[in-house]
Amino acid sequence: MLKERINYLSEIHGISRKDLVNGLITPTHLSNILAGRYPLPEDLASHLAERLFVDETYLLAAEDCSAETVNYAETIIEQFLLNAYDSTNIDQLPIEHPVLLIELVSQLIRASVGLTRNDVSLQMRNEQYLAIYLPQFLDEEIPEVLKKALYIYKMSQYRNQHNQQEALEMCRQLKKFNYTHSHVWINLLEFEVEALIYGGDAETSQELLKQAIGRCYYEGIYYHLTQLYMMYSVSFTNQNFWQKALYYLDKAKEYLEFTGEIAIMYSHGIASNRIQILMRQNEFEQAERAIDDLEKLLSGTDNAAYFQAQIMLNRCELAFRQSALDTLQEHVDTLNQIELSIEHQMVLSFYKSQLAFERKEEAAFLKYADNCRLYFEQFYNRERLLLLYEQLAAVAKENRQYKQSSEYFEYVLQLIK
C-alpha cells in the first residue's frame, strides 16, 4: 500500500523516484522498502513527506490493515449496499485518510454513489485519483474488503452504462462475500434482479423476487417491499402483462413507508410506470391526467429540473403514440432547451428519429436511430428495438442495401422469438 501511495503522490507532483530520494537513500533501497523488504524509518518518512507535500503520518500509516481499519472499511461498503449514502451525506466519507485502504474504499464508494445517482461532478472529482490508483492493483493480491469496493465500483459503472451482463457478474461476485448487516442480501438481490429484468430474463427475475418478497414478510422488513413490487411490475410490463403490472404497482404504493427525497423518488417511479402502462394500453385520456397529476406533485421538489425533463418525455410518448407529430415536435423543441441526463438524451434521440422517419429525412433518421439503438440494446427495450430494426431494415432495402436489410430483419425475428 505504501508503494501505491508514493507512486500516486509522485505522479501528481511530477517527481521521479531518483529526485524523490536524492541525497537521502538510493533508488534501489527505496524499491526494497516499497517491496516490504525493509521498514520505512520515521526520519526518512519525514523527508519524503516534505518532498511529496504531505504529513509524514500519510506515509507511515499507509499500510495499516489492522482489524479496526478493516472494520471501518467494511462499514463504508455495507452502508453503500444498504442505500445509506445520498447527496446529503456523501461528504461524510473522507477524501483523504492516513490509511490507504480506508481512503481507497472511500473514494471507490464516493465514485459509485456518483455513478448510481448520475452525479457528474462527484464522478469527475474521483476520476484522476482512480485512474492513477486502480491500474496498480490489477495484478496485486489485495485485501478482501478492497475487492468488495472494486466490485461495487465496476458494478456501478456497468449499471450506468446499461451493460446488464457485466453488472450481473459483478453483483454475483459480491454475493459470494460475507457481510455483517443481515439486510445486505436484499439490496444485492435488487441489483441482480434489475440486471436480469433489463437483460431480458423476466422469468428468473420473477422467481428471485418471489423468494425475496416471501423472506421480507417472514423477517418483517416491509420497507423493502415497495422496491421489490416495483421491480415485479416492470418484469410483467416487459412481458405485456398489463393487469399484473398495475396490480404490483398498487402493492408498491401500499407499502411505501419512506419520507422526504426517497419518498418522492419512489412516488415518481410508481406514477411514471403507471403512465407508461396506461399509454401502452391506449388509455390516453387517463395517461394525460396522470401526467398532469405527477407534474403538480413534483413541481416544488429539489430535483424539479430533472423531473421536468421526465414529465416532458412522458408528454412526448403520449403524442408519439397518438401520432400527433406537431405536438411531438413542440415537446422535442422544449427538451432541446433543457439540460438532460444521458438516459434522457437517448430517449429524446428516439423521438427525433421518429419525426425524421415520418418526414423521410433519411440522414437525420439514421443518425438518431443509430444513436439511441445502442442504448436500447444495452437496456433491452424490446418495444423500441422492434420498431427501430423494422424501420432501419426498410430504409436499407430502399437503398438496395439488401444484406444490411436482411440483418435487421433477422434481429426483428430474434426479438419476436
Side-chain angles (χ1 to χ4, degrees):
M1 288 288 186
L2 176 61
K3 178 183 74 174
E4 287 80 11
R5 174 159 277 172
I6 284 183
N7 286 344
Y8 171 78
L9 292 170
S10 298
E11 182 163 344
I12 63 172
H13 293 301
I15 302 174
S16 68
R17 284 271 183 96
K18 182 179 178 181
D19 290 338
L20 180 62
V21 299
N22 185 36
L24 300 174
I25 56 173
T26 66
T28 301
H29 189 51
L30 177 63
S31 296
N32 284 327
I33 291 173
L34 299 183
R37 298 186 185 96
Y38 305 112
L40 175 64
E42 288 191 18
D43 60 338
L44 177 60
S46 179
H47 289 301
L48 295 177
E50 184 177 353
R51 295 181 182 186
L52 293 170
F53 306 99
V54 294
D55 187 86
E56 65 183 74
T57 308
Y58 200 63
L59 300 181
L60 291 169
E63 297 199 299
D64 181 7
C65 285
S66 63
E68 183 181 359
T69 291
V70 172
N71 288 339
Y72 180 26
E74 290 280 7
T75 299
I76 292 173
I77 285 171
E78 295 199 10
Q79 287 300 297
F80 174 86
L81 293 175
L82 293 168
N83 296 324
Y85 296 122
D86 56 30
S87 57
T88 65
N89 62 8
I90 189 62
D91 286 333
Q92 293 176 7
L93 292 181
I95 296 175
E96 293 184 354
H97 195 280
V99 179
L100 182 54
L101 179 61
I102 292 174
E103 182 180 289
L104 277 170
V105 168
S106 178
Q107 291 277 21
L108 286 164
I109 295 303
R110 287 172 67 88
S112 299
V113 172
L115 288 162
T116 302
R117 298 184 174 274
N118 285 314
D119 187 331
V120 177
S121 63
L122 190 56
Q123 294 174 44
M124 291 179 66
R125 270 182 266 166
N126 301 81
E127 192 172 340
Q128 182 191 29
Y129 178 92
L130 295 177
I132 296 173
Y133 264 118
L134 294 189
Q136 299 188 69
F137 292 98
L138 292 179
D139 301 318
E140 295 284 333
E141 190 66 34
I142 60 176
E144 182 177 288
V145 67
L146 184 55
K147 284 184 182 179
K148 290 180 184 179
L150 284 167
Y151 284 139
I152 287 172
Y153 175 65
K154 289 179 181 179
M155 180 180 72
S156 301
Q157 280 188 313
Y158 291 132
R159 290 177 73 216
N160 188 261
Q161 297 162 2
H162 306 293
N163 186 338
Q164 308 304 333
Q165 193 59 43
E166 294 297 336
L168 183 62
E169 176 59 27
M170 293 300 102
C171 180
R172 287 175 172 169
Q173 290 295 330
L174 284 165
K175 289 178 70 177
K176 295 177 182 179
F177 295 109
N178 294 320
Y179 299 93
T180 303
H181 200 289
S182 60
H183 294 168
V184 167
W185 69 270
I186 194 165
N187 294 78
L188 286 173
L189 180 136
E190 288 174 3
F191 291 137
E192 183 178 12
V193 167
E194 175 190 76
L196 287 167
I197 288 174
Y198 295 118
D201 192 348
E203 291 184 4
T204 303
S205 69
Q206 287 166 11
E207 183 59 34
L208 285 174
L209 284 166
K210 183 178 179 181
Q211 295 172 14
I213 288 170
R215 183 170 172 179
C216 282
Y217 277 113
Y218 179 77
E219 295 184 8
I221 45 178
Y222 302 118
Y223 59 89
H224 280 286
L225 291 173
T226 290
Q227 177 69 11
L228 293 175
Y229 279 130
M230 285 179 69
M231 296 176 112
Y232 226 149
S233 176
V234 170
S235 71
F236 284 118
T237 299
N238 288 353
Q239 294 177 299
N240 296 339
F241 295 157
W242 311 122
Q243 295 309 311
K244 283 187 175 181
L246 288 170
Y247 170 77
Y248 285 112
L249 276 183
D250 288 336
K251 295 289 286 184
K253 188 174 182 179
E254 177 185 344
Y255 282 94
L256 182 57
E257 295 185 358
F258 296 101
T259 59
E261 181 181 337
I262 297 177
I264 291 170
M265 292 298 293
Y266 274 124
S267 297
H268 168 251
I270 293 168
S272 292
N273 289 0
R274 181 180 298 280
I275 289 165
Q276 293 300 317
I277 294 169
L278 289 171
M279 286 193 284
R280 292 171 75 171
Q281 288 182 294
N282 296 327
E283 298 287 352
F284 299 130
E285 289 186 6
Q286 288 188 51
E288 187 167 15
R289 286 196 297 271
I291 293 172
D292 291 339
D293 291 341
L294 181 59
E295 188 170 29
K296 291 175 185 175
L297 173 68
L298 300 174
S299 60
T301 63
D302 293 337
N303 292 322
Y306 173 86
F307 291 131
Q308 180 191 7
Q310 186 62 58
I311 292 292
M312 194 55 63
L313 287 170
N314 282 331
R315 296 197 186 282
C316 283
E317 182 66 14
L318 185 60
F320 169 67
R321 289 184 177 273
Q322 293 176 295
S323 300
L325 298 184
D326 290 341
T327 303
L328 177 57
Q329 183 65 65
E330 290 176 10
H331 296 327
V332 166
D333 290 342
T334 300
L335 284 164
N336 282 331
Q337 308 302 315
I338 300 175
E339 186 176 347
L340 302 176
S341 67
I342 293 175
E343 177 185 358
H344 289 161
Q345 290 174 31
M346 294 299 101
V347 178
L348 179 58
S349 287
F350 170 76
Y351 295 124
K352 289 180 177 179
S353 76
Q354 296 310 294
L355 287 168
F357 183 80
E358 291 298 325
R359 294 165 181 166
K360 301 189 182 303
E361 298 170 354
E362 183 180 308
F365 166 72
L366 290 174
K367 172 187 172 183
Y368 293 122
D370 282 340
N371 191 25
C372 63
R373 174 178 59 84
L374 297 173
Y375 169 79
F376 291 138
E377 285 174 346
Q378 289 181 331
F379 208 62
Y380 193 71
N381 191 321
R382 183 175 179 275
E383 181 184 22
R384 292 290 193 245
L385 289 173
L386 277 171
L387 180 58
L388 287 171
Y389 288 151
E390 288 175 356
Q391 292 172 336
L392 287 164
V395 170
K397 186 176 181 181
E398 279 186 17
N399 292 325
R400 298 184 179 181
Q401 297 170 333
Y402 299 118
K403 181 180 179 181
Q404 192 173 30
S405 177
S406 177
E407 288 175 353
Y408 283 126
F409 276 125
E410 182 62 29
Y411 295 153
V412 171
L413 290 175
Q414 290 174 8
L415 285 172
I416 291 173
K417 289 177 183 179

